[in-house]
Amino acid sequence: SQQIVKFETAISSFTWSPDGKKIAFLAKEEEDQEEVAAKDKGFDAEIYEEQTKPTRIFVVDSDFETDDEPVKLETEGSASEISFSPDGSKIVAAFAPTAKIDDFYMYRRIRVIDAESGADAGLLVCVLRFAGLDSDLLDNLAHEVRHNHWIIAA
């Protein structure tokens, strides 16, 4: 086995592009310098859901020969599920407005984004098939969607 990606925080999920050339993964961003300095001074109190960082989408080439750093896609919200489109040009992802647990369960929505930039691809994208997303999440996109069926974003 060979390590493909090295990242400073835990990777919670990943997916390969259909052509096998890219890997998209979910992870939190690193702590900023102010947070590290505060912890070094002894401020290490944890207040429930006050210091939660959103989960971000990162993309990296799967080429074993490269040392390229993962690229963070510029998106809004906290991502929880990801999958590439069949042609690899887009990523479908579930986003909550924040990393708070209530937002995860109550306000999570599916968005289609560009796999290179993270730009919103809009809702008039095309017909996509993404197996593996739970049926409750799919129900947020369309009233009649069932697990493992074609999703029509409209």
Side-chain angles (χ1 to χ4, degrees):
S1 70
Q2 183 173 358
Q3 181 176 346
I4 299 173
V5 177
K6 182 177 181 182
F7 203 67
E8 298 299 321
T9 64
I11 294 173
S12 61
S13 180
F14 69 93
T15 186
W16 289 82
S17 64
D19 64 6
K21 293 181 179 179
K22 295 199 177 288
I23 301 170
F25 64 90
L26 299 176
K28 306 263 188 212
E29 293 182 58
E30 293 182 64
E31 292 181 315
D32 61 32
Q33 295 300 329
E34 290 179 10
E35 292 171 318
V36 172
K39 283 185 180 180
D40 289 345
K41 292 179 182 176
F43 184 76
D44 58 359
E46 290 186 33
I47 303 167
Y48 181 70
E49 290 197 337
E50 288 296 316
Q51 294 131 332
T52 57
K53 290 186 173 288
T55 301
R56 301 294 184 199
I57 300 173
F58 296 84
V59 177
V60 66
D61 288 333
S62 61
D63 180 4
F64 293 103
E65 306 298 320
T66 186
D67 289 330
D68 291 346
E69 293 292 317
V71 175
K72 179 180 81 170
L73 299 185
E74 296 300 324
T75 58
E76 292 183 25
S78 186
S80 59
E81 296 186 49
I82 53 175
S83 183
F84 276 97
S85 63
D87 68 359
S89 68
K90 304 207 176 6
I91 294 174
V92 68
F95 289 94
T98 71
K100 293 181 178 179
I101 195 69
D102 285 349
D103 284 350
F104 175 85
Y105 284 111
M106 300 297 295
Y107 302 111
R108 195 167 50 151
R109 299 292 181 259
I110 295 173
R111 291 199 326 248
V112 179
I113 60 173
D114 182 80
E116 297 289 325
S117 68
D120 193 341
L123 293 176
L124 299 173
V125 175
C126 60
V127 179
L128 306 170
R129 183 180 183 189
F130 292 99
L133 295 177
D134 65 56
S135 61
D136 290 339
L137 185 61
L138 295 176
D139 286 339
N140 289 329
L141 184 61
H143 298 291
E144 302 287 323
V145 175
R146 299 290 183 258
H147 186 68
N148 253 354
H149 281 61
W150 289 90
I151 302 170
I152 301 174

